[in-house]
Amino acid sequence: MDWGMTNRFSRIISPENGRCVMLAVDHGYFLGPTEKLEVPQRTIEPLLPYVDSIMLTRGVLRTSLPPISHVPIVLRVSGGTSIIGDDLSNETITTSIEDALRLNVSCLALSIFVGSKHEHQTLANLATLVDSGERYGIPILAVTAVGKEMVRDARYLGLACRIAGELGAHVVKTYYCENFEKVIEGCPVPVIIAGGKKLEKDIDVLELTFNAIKEGASGVDMGRNIWQSEHPIAMIKAVRSIVHENFSIKEAADLLVTEKKIGDRKTVVVNQKNI
Ligand code: R5P
């Protein structure tokens, strides 16, 4: 990796421990005003001190983060479909590399839909984006999107992650599944996990994070299970404790209880400069 690529990559995956806490707030690009993300700025601002990076579209970046913010940006640059359209996999690249550079992003993110009608198109999108990223030293995050008809098992996710790595993605986001270590084993680049739909119990989020890290994930790119929580700050602190401090599920659960009692008010700021 050249200097710019390495510098940007190190802002996404910590060079100290190889881990990452990325906050996903890009849902509106196909879901519209998602619950608790109706006004992105309101959702994002209180969480910024506790994230390593933030994943969002250029529209939300421009309108919801001050340009003096230092939080590393993971810019979603694929889209062109909606939840009410006929095929979510029919994505294109929605942002030019020049605009990404102007926005000073640390990483570009794009979805691939392996096994879907538009598999080829989305994999070609990834290859094109990797070439653009290589030209300017910007790492690429490939998101393995899973259609309703796909099974989220190690065989499918392992296939999608491997293909993403083979096409040159520098980091891959996928879902946790049974035999997750197989997914990790077969992927040549770091893998981070999405949280998926809001889980019923807080402990389930901590378990998901803990198991993923234990089985080789480099971190999380988590959205709804953080900001749809009743206590988003407490939740992100608990998730962060597992990712960066190797907390056990019990230790993280205790931290969550303590932080909830504090009422999400008293904040121990981790990344002051993100604000
Ligand atoms: C989905 O394609 C979006 O990219 C989200 O960023 C991703 O699903 C992670 O968010 P969540 O943890 O809410 O699933």
Side-chain angles (χ1 to χ4, degrees):
M1 283 196 207
D2 67 16
W3 198 95
M5 178 71 81
T6 306
N7 178 268
R8 288 190 175 97
F9 187 78
S10 73
R11 306 194 75 214
I12 303 304
I13 307 271
S14 163
E16 272 93 52
N17 61 6
R19 299 271 172 88
C20 138
V21 175
M22 188 184 293
L23 181 70
V25 289
D26 60 324
H27 303 60
Y29 92 94
F30 72 99
L31 287 173
T34 316
E35 189 190 344
K36 300 260 181 101
L37 194 57
E38 293 89 347
V39 182
Q41 189 179 6
R42 218 181 280 158
T43 306
I44 294 167
E45 221 168 58
L47 294 170
L48 279 182
Y50 313 102
V51 307
D52 296 334
S53 61
I54 185 166
M55 180 196 194
L56 73 189
T57 58
R58 67 175 159 186
V60 169
L61 173 60
R62 284 178 188 151
T63 53
S64 310
L65 265 184
I68 54 166
S69 168
H70 286 238
V71 66
I73 302 300
V74 180
L75 192 70
R76 167 166 287 276
V77 297
S78 73
T81 61
S82 86
I83 193 69
I84 58 166
D86 57 4
D87 190 347
L88 278 179
S89 72
N90 193 8
E91 285 198 352
T92 188
I93 295 175
T94 53
T95 307
S96 70
I97 193 76
E98 289 78 15
D99 206 32
L101 285 164
R102 266 195 295 274
L103 293 166
N104 199 26
V105 305
S106 299
C107 186
L108 296 169
L110 170 145
S111 290
I112 57 170
F113 294 78
V114 172
S116 76
K117 190 168 150 201
H118 294 95
E119 170 185 277
H120 171 73
Q121 173 184 317
T122 60
L123 292 177
N125 289 344
L126 174 59
T128 301
L129 193 66
V130 169
D131 278 339
S132 301
E134 292 294 341
R135 203 172 307 130
Y136 296 106
I138 306 180
I140 308 302
L141 165 65
V143 176
T144 63
V146 184
K148 276 192 190 121
E149 62 287 359
M150 307 295 176
V151 191
R152 289 187 193 186
D153 61 13
R155 194 161 172 218
Y156 172 72
L157 296 173
L159 172 77
C161 289
R162 176 58 173 262
I163 291 172
E166 297 263 355
L167 289 177
H170 301 86
V171 50
V172 176
K173 172 165 87 163
T174 195
Y175 292 95
Y176 179 73
C177 63
E178 217 175 294
N179 299 320
F180 188 65
E181 63 280 354
K182 284 272 161 215
V183 177
I184 299 290
E185 185 186 56
C187 185
V189 295
V191 175
I192 58 179
I193 60 146
K197 281 193 181 146
K198 168 94 172 58
L199 296 168
E200 207 177 307
K201 297 190 209 129
D202 289 347
I203 195 78
D204 295 339
V205 183
L206 304 181
E207 263 173 33
L208 171 74
T209 307
F210 181 84
N211 291 335
I213 295 291
K214 188 178 72 173
E215 290 168 44
S218 296
V220 297
D221 178 15
M222 203 173 265
R224 290 162 288 183
N225 277 294
I226 303 288
W227 38 261
Q228 286 181 347
S229 157
E230 288 299 309
H231 300 271
I233 294 177
M235 183 55 90
I236 198 161
K237 283 183 169 180
V239 166
R240 190 178 176 88
S241 74
I242 296 171
V243 175
H244 280 305
E245 295 167 60
N246 293 317
F247 271 31
S248 65
I249 297 170
K250 162 117 185 34
E251 287 170 326
D254 289 346
L255 176 68
L256 184 63
V257 170
T258 309
E259 290 295 334
K260 279 184 186 176
K261 280 190 191 141
I262 292 170
D264 285 355
R265 279 194 308 275
K266 184 169 164 260
T267 55
V268 179
V269 173
V270 179
N271 293 326
Q272 178 75 51
K273 62 184 186 329
N274 279 352
I275 305 166

